[in-house]
Amino acid sequence: MSVQTRVMLDGRWTTRTLDIHQILARNREEKQEMANGSPAEPGRPALGILTKTLVRSPVIKSIIPARVRHRSRNDVVFVYDDAIVIKEILGGERIEHDPFSPISLADVIEKKDFDSPLQAVRILGLPREPKVPRFPGKDWSKHSDADRSQSSIETKPNLLHENEVPPQILVLTLASRNLLFLFAYHDVHEQVHFLSNTFPLPAQAAESEELGVHLAVDPKWISRNGGGISRKSYCDIYPQEHGPDKAGSAETAWTGHEEFHANTRRETHQGDEHYVILLLIISKGDSTLLVRFEWDCRGGLSGVERKPSQVLPKSKQLPNLLIPLIYRTSFAVVSGEQVTIYEGILTGIAQAQDCQLELHEQREVPRNSDRPLTWTHWARPMRPTKRLERGIDNIYLCREDGVVCYIDVREDSRPMISSSHSAGILKANLSNAFATLDLGRESNDVVIAASETGDGGLWYLRPREPIVHVGTIRNWTPFRDITIAPFKTSTSRVAESDKQIRRKAKRPFACSGRGPRHGAITEVRMGTEAVKLGPTIELSELANNGILDLWALPYPVDQDRQAASEAKELSLNEDTIAAGSTAEGFIVEDPSAASGVEELSHNERTIAAGSTAEGFIVQVTPSSINAISQKHGILPLAWHPEGASISVASLLTIPNRTTVLLIVLCRHHDYYLHHGHFGSQGGHIIFEALGEQVRLPSEASSLALHWFENCIIAFVGTVAATLQIYTARAGLSLNPYFEYRFGDPSSICDSLAILTTEIQTVACDEVEIGQLVLCGLRNGTVKTLWLNSGQDSHNTRLFSKENEETKSPGSKDSSLGEGIHFLGRSTGSSDGAWSKVFGGCPLSPCETLTFGGTSVKVMADTTRTSRAFVMCQQTLYTVEYLGGASPTNPASVNKLWVTDPNLQAFQQGPATSIAQASSNIPHGCSKFAAGSLFYLSGSSLVVADISSFPRPEMVPRRLPLNGTPTTVLYSEHLDKLIVMYTTEVHQRGKRLRKGMAVQRTAPQPAIALVELDAEPVRLDLDGQDGPNILDSSCVLPGEKFLGLVEWLPTVGERQHYMLVVHTATGQAGSQATISRLLFFSLINDAGSATLKIDMEHKAEICAVAPYGRSSLVYGCGNDILLRFLDVESKKFRHPMKLTLRSPAVHISVKGLDIHVSTESHGHHILSVVEDKLVARWADRVSRPSAYHLVLPEQSLVLATDLDCRIAGLWQPPQPHLDRTAPLIFEAFLPRSITRLCRIQTQKDRLLLTQPEPQTTYSTSPINAKIGNGIVARAERYLSKETLLATCEDGTIYQLSLLDQASWRLLAYIQNMAMREPRICPYPHPRVGEQDLEPSMARKRDMHIDGDILTRLLERGGRRLLEEMLDEGASGRMLLDEMLVEDLPEDRWHRFLALTKEVFGGEGAVSPNSDMRVPNGELAESVLGWLRLLLMPAI
C-alpha cells in the first residue's frame, strides 16, 4: 500500500508516492536512535553482515542404524548438532576367501533446516531385526551380470503407500522447544524427501531448564505408545496414533525437584503389551535414585503410578550407562570398571549383581592422568536369528580411549555376566557415537564409531582375532588456530605464466585434532573429492616420449592370473602405447605383451578411442579406424578412408541400440562429416556408413554427439570460432541446422561436453529434462549454452527477430559478432521434425567461466550425466549441473582434489592428461576401475574414484603431527608454516600397579617449520627428534607454550628476525603462575633456534603483538605493557603500562592503534599519547571476548565473544564523550567464533585460479538496463571484505559485509523466506520479532542468514520467489499498531523498489518508477546476484 506525501528534493518540496511499510520502518529506526541518544553521525556506515555456513562441523553426536525409508533400505542416521544425514550401507556381503568385503556408506539425503540445535534423537517403531541375506551362501564373484541384475530387481524397494510409514521413524527434540516426528520416502521419480510433523513442547518454567535433553521411547512400536521427554522437575508423555501425522499433545506425568540422569522405557513381558514401565535415574542432592513409573497406556496418564525410589550405593552414583536387557525386566548399570545387573524391580527393591570388567589389553598411548576412564556407549550386535539363543544377551561396551569390551549375559547363570573380555582397541577416541551395523553376516560383527577429537571409522570385530579397519569417518576438530598462506610457486610444477595467478589465491591452514594420533595441520579445501585407488603407476620410460592424451578402455580378465585389469591407450607424439594395469598395480609397457590389443595401430597417434556396447574396442588414428572384439572368433576391423585423413572423431553409445562414430575427413583441404555405426557380420567387425558425407564450411576443431528424442545431434566446433549443430534421424544423413558464433577469433572450441539432468518443479509434480552444452575454448574459458528441449524453452527473449539471421552453409560473413544463426533455412522456417526437438532456437547463452590463459579440455562424466571434468593449466575441476528452473548460472564449478587414504598429506601433482573408464563395462571385462578417473601427472599415472556428492564439500589435506597443535602462522619471511604443538615424552613412573611400574607421559612443547607442499610430511618421528627447532634445555619442567608471534625489530637499516613465545608454569601446591617471554632467533635455513632473551613475569601472559619498528605489546594479568627493545644491548626499556578491568585474550596492532579483546569487558582501543598508554574508546557491552579482526577500510572492528555473537564496532574519527564504540550490526550464531581471517573472493566461481573476476552473464535486458551493476556492486562490497570465521567444533562460516541497499533487499527476501514452510519448515525463532519490511532499529536485524537464502536457491529459485511475492500474507498485518494491507501487488511493488535501490545507481530512485523489465526476469536477475553473494570464497 502506498501514500502520497511531500518530500524535500534538491531544495524543493515535491509530491512523491511512498510505500507505507517503508515509512513505518524508518519511523521505528528514528525512534530507536532517539532512545539511544545517538543520532546518525557523518561518516557512520550503515552496513549489514551476511553469514553462510561454508563447512559444517564434522562432530557426530550419535549414530543410529534404522530403516527410516523402507524395510528394504539398510540405512544409518548420522546426527549432528543441527542436522541429520541418512546414509545407506553398501557392500559387506560375504564372498568366498574374502571375509572382510568392502563396506561403504553412500549419502542418501541430509536435513539441515531445523534452525535450532538437536537435543535428543531416538527411534520409534519396530525393534531392529537382523538382515536376512538375499541369497545365503551365494558367491557373487562366480555369477554373471544377469544374476546380479535379477537380484537388484527382486530386492528393489517399493514406494510407501498412502498413510504408510517405514518400520522405524525418528523422534527428535529441538532446542526451540519442538518435538519432531520424521521419516524419509521415495517419490515416483525415485527422489528422496522427508516427511515430518512438529508439536510444541511445554513452555519452560525457568531459563536453566533444558527441555528435551533426555528422551525415551517404547522399545516396540505399539500403535498407541509414544515417547517420554524429561527435564529437571517434569516428565511429559506423548502418545502416538498410527504415525507422525497422528501424534497427540503432551500429558504431564510427574513433577519433582530432581535432575534426570538417564531414562529408558520397556514393557513388562511379551504377554501384556499395554503395560509400560518408565525407568529414570535421577540425581537429588548427593544421592542417585532409581525412579520407576508404571501405567496401562490404554487409560492415558491418569493411571500413572510412581513406585518407591531406590537409592544407589555410593560406588554406583551417577552411572555412565543404563542398558535394558532383552529378557524379563532386567537392566544393567555401568559405572567405572564395574557392571551391575538389576533384576526383580517389579516385585520391590531390585536385586543387584556386580561384575568387574577384566581387561588385560593395555592402551596404545600411556596416560598422564589418574582419572578413571569412562565407558561412553553400548551396542548390541546384529546377528541372524539362528545365532541368537533364548536367555542370552551379548553387548559391546566402548570406552573413551577406544577399548571395546564384549560381555555375555546369561539368564540362567550366576553371576549373570558369564564372561567379559576385550574385543580390541579402535584407533579412535570414542566419546560420541558407537553402533553396530546390520549386514546379515554369520560372523565378524561390524561396528561404527565417531569421536569429537579425531577420525572415526568402521571395523570388523572377530572372536579372538585382531580387529580390521575397513573405513574412515573424517573429523578435523578441534580447530584452535588458522592462518592464510599463498600458493607456493615451484618452477618445476607451475609454469611461469601461472605464478602471478596463483600468488593471489589463498590457502587456509588450521590446527586440528588432539593427541599424537590425531593432531595435524589441516589445509582447508573445498571442492569435489577423488579417492586414490591403489598405488601410483610409474610410466617413466613412456613419459620421455611426450604423452599427448590418455584413454581408459575395458580389458578382458586374464584367466591365468585371475586378475582384473584395465587397458590404457597412451597417445604419444608419433605413436601409441597400450599399457595394461591390474588392481594390484601390474603394468605392461610392451604392446606385444598386452594380449588382445596387438591388432590396434601402434605406429600412429591415436585421435580417439572407446568401447561399444557389443564389447568392441575402437581406435581412431589419422589413417584408419581399428576395432577389435573381446570375444573369440570375431575378426578385427581396419577401415581406411580413401584419399583422405581423419582429423577429429567422437563416439556415442546409444542405449539398447548401437554405437555411432562421427569423424571429420580432410580431402584436398576440404573437410567432410562422416558418421556410421559398428556391427558384426560373418564373423567380422564392420563399420557401416549412415547417410552421405556433409561438407563443412571450415576446419573442425572438436566434435560431440548427443542422443535426444530419437535424434542424433552432432556438435561441431570449428577454427572459425563457431559451433555448428547437425541433426539426423536414425539411419539418415546429417542435416545442417544451426550455428552459434562465439564472437572472438580466439574463441575456438577445442572440446565439447553435454550435460543432462532431471529438473523437478517446486511442486514436485513433474520433471523436465535440462541440457547444457559446455564448450572448452582455446582462450582459457568455458562457454555454457542452454540446449532448449522444446518442453520449456528458457530465455526465448534472447532470440528475437533482430538476433536471427539467415545463414547458408559455406556462405561468408565479414562480421564475427556473438549471436545465433540458422543454417540452410530461413528464420521463419518451421521444419516439423527439428522444431519438435528444439522448440525453436536450440541454444541460449548462459555464462562464460574463465579458467586460465590456455586451452581448456572438457570431458563428460560417464557416471553422472550432470557432471563434466575440466582441465586447464594442469589443474582439474568439475562442473556440476544442479538443475533449477532457469539457465542463468546453472553450473557449479568445484576444484577436484585427489586424496590418498593411506597418505593424509598427499598433494596431487599437475595434471597433463585425463581419462575416465566407462561405467558400462561389457561382460567378461574388468570392473575394478569402472567409472574411475585416470590422470597423468608427469610420469605418474593415478587412478581415483570420484565422489558422487553434487555440491562442494570439505576435502581436508592433513599434515600429521606427533602431538597437539595449538598455534600456526604463515611466515612470509621464511615462506613456511611455523607450528607450535605439544608432544608427549614417555616416562616410567615410580608407582606400581599390580607389581608393574606404570608408564606415564609428560607434555613437551615443540616448534616446527613446515613446507607447504612437502610430501610426504612427517613433522615429528618419536617426540624427541625430527624438525623440532627448540633445544629441550630452554623449556622448564611443566612449562606450557601459550602463544607464538613473529617479530622483526629494525635497528637502523638492519632487520632482525625473531620468534616470540609466551609461556606459563604453575607452581606446585599453589595457583600462582609464572610466565615467561622467550625470544628465539633462527640461525640457518635448517631451522635451529637459539634463545636470546628470557623475561619472567609473575602473572600469566595471554596475548602478544609487535608494535612499531622495535616494540612489543602484551597483556600480563590485567595490565597491558608496551616495551621498546634495544637490540644491540638486548635490553628492554621501562614499559608503558595501562591496567584494564580483565585480562587480555587477543591483541592486535593496526597503525598506531592497539586493539585489545578482554576476557570479560569487551573490546578496547589503546594508543600512545605523550609517552603514555591511554584508552581511546571501548565496547559499550561487557562481552566475554574471544577474538577480533580490524577492517581499517571501513573503520570497523569485528569482535566475537563466547556468547556466540559477532559485533561490528565502528571506530569514529573523533572519540565520543563517553568513549564508547557505536554498534553497527550484531549477529547471533549457533556457536562461538574463535578465529577470523580475511580471504580473497573468487567471483568467477573458480577455486584458487583466477586473479580477477571474469564471469560474464547473458546479455539480458535487466543487465543491459543497469549496465552490469550487479557485478559492480558485488565487487565493491564483497571482494575486499569476505572473511572466514572458524569455530572450535570445526565449523567454518563465510562472512560478507553488505551496504544498506543490498541489506534491505536481502532482508526483505529473508523475511518472506522465514515465513515460507518450504524454506523454513519449523517455526523460526526470528519470525515473531520481525516484520516483512526491513528495519535498522535493532542491530541484530542487520544479520542476513545466508543458509536460509541458500535454501531458496536450492528449493525452487525463481519460481519459489515469485510464489512468495504473489501469495502475500493473509491480507492484512499489524505494523506499529496500524492495520495495513499486505497484498501481492504491494509485495511486488516493494520488491521492485528495493531492487532498483541496489541496481539503479547511486542517486535517489523513485520506487514508483517503472523498470521496464518483466517481473520474472527481474526475479531471475536478483537470484543470479544472490548466487554470486553466496559463492564459496575458497
Side-chain angles (χ1 to χ4, degrees):
M1 188 178 73
S2 303
V3 296
Q4 297 285 336
T5 184
R6 302 275 290 177
V7 298
M8 178 71 72
L9 183 63
D10 296 332
R12 298 182 180 180
W13 288 101
T14 308
T15 301
R16 286 287 184 267
T17 302
L18 298 179
D19 187 90
I20 185 63
H21 300 271
Q22 184 178 5
I23 296 175
L24 295 175
R26 292 182 177 175
N27 288 341
R28 290 195 298 270
E29 294 171 7
E30 293 177 359
K31 292 178 181 179
Q32 185 67 29
E33 290 179 353
M34 294 179 62
N36 295 337
S38 55
E41 304 176 42
R44 178 174 179 174
L47 298 175
I49 185 170
L50 171 68
T51 66
K52 177 178 182 280
T53 304
L54 201 60
V55 176
R56 185 183 58 209
S57 171
V59 177
I60 301 173
K61 296 177 62 176
S62 61
I63 299 176
I64 306 175
R67 300 177 185 270
V68 293
R69 287 184 294 162
H70 195 272
R71 61 179 179 274
S72 62
R73 300 285 190 173
N74 197 6
D75 292 335
V76 179
V77 181
F78 284 37
V79 181
Y80 296 86
D81 182 63
D82 53 5
I84 62 172
V85 176
I86 297 179
K87 297 177 181 284
E88 185 173 10
I89 307 172
L90 302 178
E93 288 85 1
R94 182 179 175 86
I95 301 176
E96 188 177 359
H97 307 306
D98 183 15
F100 309 113
S101 54
I103 302 174
S104 62
L105 298 176
D107 290 320
V108 176
I109 188 174
E110 66 176 352
K111 188 173 182 63
K112 52 185 180 181
D113 56 2
F114 296 104
D115 294 320
S116 175
L118 304 179
Q119 290 190 320
V121 181
R122 295 291 184 271
I123 290 296
L124 177 65
L126 299 177
R128 291 179 63 192
E129 296 180 355
K131 172 185 175 183
V132 178
R134 291 173 293 185
F135 296 92
K138 190 170 185 177
D139 186 355
W140 286 110
S141 63
K142 298 181 179 180
H143 291 267
S144 64
D145 291 343
D147 294 333
R148 298 173 187 266
S149 301
Q150 182 65 24
S151 172
S152 63
I153 293 174
E154 294 176 5
T155 59
K156 183 177 181 180
N158 297 319
L159 298 176
L160 294 174
H161 300 289
E162 187 177 2
N163 297 326
E164 182 184 0
V165 296
Q168 296 160 333
I169 64 176
L170 294 171
V171 185
L172 308 91
T173 55
L174 308 181
S176 57
R177 299 194 298 275
N178 287 295
L179 177 67
L180 182 64
F181 297 85
L182 179 72
F183 66 87
Y185 69 96
H186 290 259
D187 62 13
V188 293
H189 306 296
E190 284 298 317
Q191 301 292 323
V192 185
H193 307 277
F194 279 109
L195 180 63
S196 64
N197 203 5
T198 309
F199 298 93
L201 295 176
Q204 296 179 192
E207 286 293 332
S208 61
E209 293 181 356
E210 297 180 358
L211 181 61
V213 172
H214 298 288
L215 175 65
V217 298
D218 268 326
K220 296 181 181 179
W221 189 13
I222 306 174
S223 62
R224 71 277 164 276
N225 285 341
I229 302 170
S230 56
R231 52 175 172 166
K232 288 183 181 178
S233 309
Y234 296 98
C235 177
D236 301 310
I237 307 298
Y238 274 73
Q240 183 166 337
E241 302 283 349
H242 309 295
D245 58 335
K246 299 294 185 180
S249 59
E251 301 179 62
T252 300
W254 170 65
T255 301
H257 300 284
E258 294 82 0
E259 182 173 357
F260 292 109
H261 185 70
N263 56 6
T264 185
R265 295 188 62 179
R266 59 181 300 108
E267 285 76 21
T268 56
H269 51 79
Q270 296 287 343
D272 193 355
E273 295 182 344
H274 299 284
Y275 196 68
V276 180
I277 300 174
L278 176 63
L279 178 64
L280 306 174
I281 296 182
I282 64 175
S283 175
K284 184 176 183 180
D286 58 352
S287 301
T288 301
L289 308 177
L290 286 177
V291 179
R292 177 168 52 95
F293 297 91
E294 298 179 7
W295 73 95
D296 190 327
C297 59
R298 291 173 295 183
L301 298 182
S302 58
V304 171
E305 181 181 0
R306 180 182 179 180
K307 297 298 182 179
S309 302
Q310 180 175 345
V311 180
L312 295 181
K314 293 292 183 181
S315 60
K316 301 179 181 62
Q317 287 191 356
L318 299 179
N320 306 119
L321 299 175
L322 173 63
I323 307 173
L325 302 181
I326 62 176
Y327 56 88
R328 290 191 178 181
T329 55
S330 302
F331 59 93
V333 172
V334 182
S335 56
E337 296 183 357
Q338 190 177 69
V339 177
T340 303
I341 294 182
Y342 290 87
E343 60 177 348
I345 193 173
L346 294 182
T347 60
I349 301 300
Q351 302 300 316
Q353 297 182 26
D354 296 335
C355 178
Q356 199 73 16
L357 297 177
E358 295 293 339
L359 299 178
H360 303 288
E361 194 147 3
Q362 298 293 327
R363 296 179 69 250
E364 287 189 336
V365 181
R367 300 179 65 229
N368 190 34
S369 173
D370 294 327
R371 179 183 62 85
L373 292 170
T374 303
W375 295 98
T376 57
H377 288 277
W378 69 275
R380 185 171 284 115
M382 296 299 297
R383 297 169 180 170
T385 307
K386 64 181 181 180
R387 290 194 58 196
L388 301 178
E389 301 179 24
R390 184 175 182 85
I392 298 179
D393 196 1
N394 303 127
I395 293 174
Y396 283 112
L397 298 178
C398 71
R399 205 167 62 184
E400 59 180 325
D401 60 345
V403 172
V404 178
C405 177
Y406 179 80
I407 61 175
D408 186 69
V409 183
R410 295 179 182 267
E411 181 182 7
D412 55 356
S413 68
R414 290 296 180 271
M416 297 178 66
I417 298 181
S418 60
S419 65
S420 66
H421 62 272
S422 174
I425 300 179
L426 309 182
K427 293 184 178 180
N429 299 324
L430 303 182
S431 56
N432 271 32
F434 179 80
T436 57
L437 299 184
D438 177 15
L439 298 178
R441 300 178 65 92
E442 297 293 335
S443 61
N444 300 341
D445 296 323
V446 180
V447 299
I448 182 172
S451 173
E452 284 187 351
T453 60
D455 291 340
L458 294 92
W459 293 267
Y460 277 109
L461 300 184
R462 302 178 295 169
R464 295 170 296 278
E465 295 289 343
I467 63 175
V468 178
H469 180 259
V470 292
T472 300
I473 300 175
R474 282 198 186 123
N475 186 358
W476 49 84
T477 58
F479 268 0
R480 290 185 179 84
D481 196 12
I482 190 170
T483 188
I484 303 297
F487 266 87
K488 186 177 180 181
T489 55
S490 174
T491 306
S492 60
R493 287 195 172 189
V494 182
E496 186 65 30
S497 59
D498 301 336
K499 290 186 178 180
Q500 295 299 326
I501 293 177
R502 289 178 174 263
R503 284 195 184 101
K504 296 187 178 182
K506 304 298 182 183
R507 303 172 63 183
F509 288 87
C511 295
S512 67
R514 180 181 299 156
R517 184 188 298 147
H518 303 293
I521 298 298
T522 297
E523 181 178 2
V524 179
R525 307 185 301 186
M526 294 288 294
T528 303
E529 182 178 14
V531 180
K532 189 169 172 284
L533 300 176
T536 301
I537 303 172
E538 292 297 333
L539 305 174
S540 55
E541 296 182 6
L542 300 178
N544 295 333
N545 297 328
I547 299 177
L548 299 180
D549 217 332
L550 176 71
W551 289 271
L553 307 174
Y555 191 70
V557 175
D558 191 333
Q559 300 298 332
D560 297 331
R561 293 194 308 266
Q562 288 295 321
S565 57
E566 189 79 15
K568 266 79 63 179
E569 287 280 339
L570 307 176
S571 180
L572 309 181
N573 290 323
E574 300 295 338
D575 55 9
T576 296
I577 295 295
S581 66
T582 70
E584 291 78 17
F586 177 78
I587 185 71
V588 179
E589 296 186 358
D590 183 4
S592 63
S595 175
V597 296
E598 60 270 9
E599 293 87 355
L600 298 179
S601 175
H602 300 287
N603 299 321
E604 292 183 282
R605 181 176 64 88
T606 298
I607 297 175
S611 61
T612 69
E614 298 84 358
F616 304 154
I617 293 181
V618 179
Q619 177 200 26
V620 181
T621 68
S623 64
S624 64
I625 298 175
N626 307 292
I628 61 175
S629 175
Q630 298 176 357
K631 298 180 181 179
H632 295 290
I634 300 180
L635 299 179
L637 166 73
W639 184 88
H640 300 272
E642 297 182 1
S645 63
I646 304 174
S647 60
V648 193
S650 178
L651 273 169
L652 170 67
T653 298
I654 303 174
N656 302 323
R657 291 180 181 245
T658 185
T659 299
V660 178
L661 174 64
L662 177 65
I663 60 176
V664 174
L665 298 175
C666 177
R667 184 182 298 115
H668 305 298
H669 303 289
D670 291 330
Y671 298 89
Y672 300 87
L673 276 180
H674 180 68
H675 74 299
H677 71 101
F678 293 92
S680 60
Q681 183 177 359
H684 291 75
I685 301 176
I686 62 172
F687 176 66
E688 183 180 358
L690 298 174
E692 300 179 354
Q693 297 180 3
V694 180
R695 182 179 178 182
L696 294 176
S698 58
E699 179 183 356
S701 58
S702 59
L703 292 177
L705 288 172
H706 184 51
W707 176 258
F708 183 72
E709 295 287 345
N710 295 321
C711 175
I712 295 177
I713 307 173
F715 297 87
V716 182
T718 70
V719 296
T722 64
L723 177 65
Q724 297 183 348
I725 296 181
Y726 295 78
T727 59
R729 291 292 180 182
L732 301 179
S733 300
L734 292 170
N735 295 310
Y737 178 70
F738 195 79
E739 182 180 84
Y740 180 87
R741 295 184 174 183
F742 294 105
D744 183 1
S746 64
S747 300
I748 299 174
C749 184
D750 283 337
S751 57
L752 290 161
I754 293 91
L755 309 183
T756 61
T757 189
E758 291 184 350
I759 305 175
Q760 199 159 20
T761 60
V762 177
C764 299
D765 55 357
E766 60 180 6
V767 173
E768 303 171 357
I769 301 298
Q771 303 171 96
L772 196 70
V773 181
L774 269 63
C775 306
L777 306 184
R778 194 168 295 178
N779 60 6
T781 64
V782 170
K783 184 75 174 181
T784 60
L785 305 172
W786 180 276
L787 183 61
N788 295 321
S789 62
Q791 300 174 12
D792 187 8
S793 183
H794 298 282
N795 273 10
T796 53
R797 56 181 172 77
L798 295 174
F799 310 108
S800 56
K801 290 295 183 180
E802 66 247 25
N803 288 334
E804 298 176 0
E805 174 183 335
T806 301
K807 180 72 176 174
S808 60
S811 63
K812 297 184 178 181
D813 193 342
S814 58
S815 65
L816 197 61
E818 181 174 351
I820 287 72
H821 306 273
F822 285 94
L823 299 178
R825 65 194 67 214
S826 64
T827 58
S829 174
S830 59
D831 189 305
W834 314 134
S835 297
K836 182 178 180 180
V837 173
F838 293 117
C841 296
L843 294 180
S844 305
C846 295
E847 59 182 344
T848 301
L849 304 174
T850 302
F851 287 84
T854 60
S855 180
V856 180
K857 178 179 179 178
V858 295
M859 182 181 69
D861 188 351
T862 63
T863 61
R864 291 176 62 91
T865 60
S866 60
R867 183 168 64 186
F869 302 105
V870 176
M871 185 178 70
C872 181
Q873 296 183 168
Q874 302 181 336
T875 307
L876 298 178
Y877 307 88
T878 61
V879 176
E880 181 80 10
Y881 178 50
L882 301 178
S886 75
T888 303
N889 246 351
S892 173
V893 182
N894 301 312
K895 188 76 173 286
L896 181 62
W897 301 103
V898 180
T899 61
D900 189 342
N902 300 318
L903 182 62
Q904 296 180 336
F906 177 78
Q907 180 77 345
Q908 67 197 67
T912 55
S913 185
I914 58 172
Q916 188 183 24
S918 174
S919 58
N920 298 319
I921 304 298
H923 173 65
C925 297
S926 162
K927 292 181 174 61
F928 87 93
S932 298
L933 181 71
F934 293 74
Y935 89 94
L936 194 64
S937 176
S939 62
S940 300
L941 181 64
V942 175
V943 185
D945 184 25
I946 309 297
S947 170
S948 60
F949 196 70
R951 305 189 186 279
E953 57 183 341
M954 174 78 161
V955 187
R957 172 176 170 256
R958 305 174 71 175
L959 314 181
L961 287 165
N962 190 25
T964 302
T966 55
T967 303
V968 59
L969 58 91
Y970 171 72
S971 172
E972 295 183 1
H973 181 81
L974 303 176
D975 193 22
K976 296 179 181 179
L977 294 176
I978 304 177
V979 182
M980 185 178 72
Y981 63 104
T982 302
T983 186
E984 294 179 350
V985 293
H986 295 213
Q987 297 177 345
R988 185 171 296 275
K990 298 180 181 180
R991 296 178 300 123
L992 297 180
R993 179 181 297 175
K994 296 183 180 181
M996 298 180 61
V998 178
Q999 191 177 22
R1000 303 177 62 85
T1001 61
Q1004 178 72 37
I1007 296 177
L1009 304 180
V1010 183
E1011 295 282 351
L1012 299 181
D1013 295 313
E1015 183 185 343
V1017 175
R1018 184 72 176 177
L1019 297 186
D1020 204 329
L1021 301 177
D1022 56 6
Q1024 299 286 347
D1025 302 326
N1028 184 11
I1029 64 176
L1030 296 182
D1031 187 351
S1032 59
S1033 61
C1034 66
V1035 181
L1036 300 178
E1039 189 172 28
K1040 298 180 180 179
F1041 283 14
L1042 303 181
L1044 169 72
V1045 295
E1046 282 187 301
W1047 191 32
L1048 283 78
T1050 303
V1051 178
E1053 300 296 330
R1054 185 181 178 185
Q1055 188 178 64
H1056 302 264
Y1057 180 81
M1058 306 189 78
L1059 294 179
V1060 182
V1061 178
H1062 57 281
T1063 73
T1065 305
Q1067 293 182 349
S1070 67
Q1071 297 182 354
T1073 300
I1074 296 178
S1075 294
R1076 295 197 301 164
L1077 276 179
L1078 306 179
F1079 296 79
F1080 296 94
S1081 66
L1082 299 184
I1083 296 178
N1084 49 42
D1085 294 337
S1088 59
T1090 303
L1091 181 62
K1092 294 295 185 180
I1093 304 176
D1094 180 356
M1095 296 176 54
E1096 186 175 305
H1097 292 76
K1098 296 299 183 182
E1100 183 176 351
I1101 299 176
C1102 298
V1104 182
Y1107 181 85
R1109 290 170 55 89
S1110 58
S1111 303
L1112 203 67
V1113 58
Y1114 57 94
C1116 185
N1118 289 3
D1119 297 332
I1120 303 297
L1121 303 177
L1122 178 60
R1123 287 181 175 269
F1124 296 88
L1125 173 66
D1126 186 345
V1127 180
E1128 299 298 333
S1129 62
K1130 301 180 183 180
K1131 294 182 180 179
F1132 281 94
R1133 302 177 188 173
H1134 186 72
M1136 301 179 186
K1137 185 172 73 171
L1138 179 66
T1139 301
L1140 303 177
R1141 291 184 291 174
S1142 58
V1145 295
H1146 180 218
I1147 298 177
S1148 67
V1149 175
K1150 286 294 180 181
L1152 299 179
D1153 292 335
I1154 301 173
H1155 295 261
V1156 181
S1157 292
T1158 62
E1159 189 178 78
S1160 305
H1161 295 87
H1163 191 77
H1164 299 259
I1165 283 191
L1166 316 179
S1167 61
V1168 178
V1169 178
E1170 297 179 354
D1171 294 335
K1172 292 183 179 180
L1173 200 58
V1174 298
R1176 291 188 56 194
W1177 57 264
D1179 195 349
R1180 291 179 177 176
V1181 179
S1182 295
R1183 63 181 83 245
S1185 301
Y1187 201 77
H1188 70 261
L1189 181 67
V1190 182
L1191 305 177
E1193 293 82 358
Q1194 287 80 20
S1195 299
L1196 204 66
V1197 177
L1198 295 183
T1200 69
D1201 58 37
L1202 301 181
D1203 293 333
C1204 306
R1205 293 178 294 182
I1206 178 170
L1209 306 175
W1210 180 49
Q1211 182 181 353
Q1214 298 296 329
H1216 295 166
L1217 294 178
D1218 57 358
R1219 296 186 179 276
T1220 58
L1223 182 64
I1224 303 299
F1225 56 77
E1226 190 172 35
F1228 287 79
L1229 301 176
R1231 48 192 59 84
S1232 178
I1233 293 176
T1234 56
R1235 290 294 185 271
L1236 291 166
C1237 57
R1238 305 173 75 171
I1239 194 166
Q1240 180 180 354
T1241 301
Q1242 304 292 338
K1243 289 175 293 300
D1244 59 348
R1245 310 196 316 153
L1246 303 182
L1247 302 177
L1248 312 176
T1249 60
Q1250 197 56 41
E1252 297 178 359
Q1254 299 290 339
T1255 300
T1256 305
Y1257 293 89
S1258 57
T1259 55
S1260 62
I1262 178 65
N1263 284 345
K1265 175 77 174 178
I1266 65 177
N1268 292 327
I1270 289 179
V1271 178
R1273 301 285 284 198
E1275 290 177 0
R1276 179 173 181 179
Y1277 293 105
L1278 290 177
S1279 61
K1280 296 181 180 179
E1281 301 304 347
T1282 298
L1283 316 169
L1284 289 185
T1286 62
C1287 306
E1288 192 168 357
D1289 67 350
T1291 302
I1292 301 179
Y1293 292 104
Q1294 179 172 307
L1295 313 180
S1296 301
L1297 298 183
L1298 301 172
D1299 68 305
Q1300 184 176 355
S1302 300
W1303 169 80
R1304 286 189 180 275
L1305 175 58
L1306 294 180
Y1308 191 75
I1309 298 174
Q1310 175 184 260
N1311 293 343
M1312 289 189 296
M1314 287 191 298
R1315 292 164 170 81
E1316 172 55 53
R1318 286 169 289 184
I1319 300 176
C1320 296
Y1322 313 109
H1324 198 282
R1326 296 176 61 183
V1327 169
E1329 303 175 357
Q1330 293 178 260
D1331 302 319
L1332 283 182
E1333 178 62 33
S1335 172
M1336 301 175 64
R1338 296 193 313 171
K1339 299 308 177 184
R1340 63 179 300 179
D1341 293 341
M1342 303 298 293
H1343 172 214
I1344 301 297
D1345 190 343
D1347 295 336
I1348 294 178
L1349 301 181
T1350 301
R1351 293 179 218 159
L1352 169 63
L1353 297 176
E1354 295 175 350
R1355 302 182 182 182
R1358 166 181 168 179
R1359 296 184 184 181
L1360 187 53
L1361 177 59
E1362 291 176 352
E1363 288 182 13
M1364 292 191 302
L1365 291 168
D1366 289 335
E1367 291 175 0
S1370 58
R1372 294 174 180 270
M1373 59 188 305
L1374 190 65
L1375 290 180
D1376 286 359
E1377 301 180 355
M1378 294 179 58
L1379 193 63
V1380 299
E1381 299 287 341
D1382 182 33
L1383 303 177
E1385 53 269 24
D1386 294 329
R1387 286 195 176 189
W1388 268 108
H1389 182 273
R1390 187 65 184 130
F1391 179 71
L1392 290 170
L1394 292 173
T1395 303
K1396 198 165 186 179
E1397 289 182 12
V1398 178
F1399 305 138
E1402 300 295 336
V1405 180
S1406 172
N1408 203 32
S1409 59
D1410 185 13
M1411 297 188 68
R1412 303 182 184 277
V1413 178
N1415 292 345
E1417 298 174 9
L1418 175 63
E1420 187 58 59
S1421 298
V1422 170
L1423 292 179
W1425 169 68
L1426 180 57
R1427 291 186 184 97
L1428 185 66
L1429 299 180
L1430 297 175
M1431 194 179 304
I1434 57 176

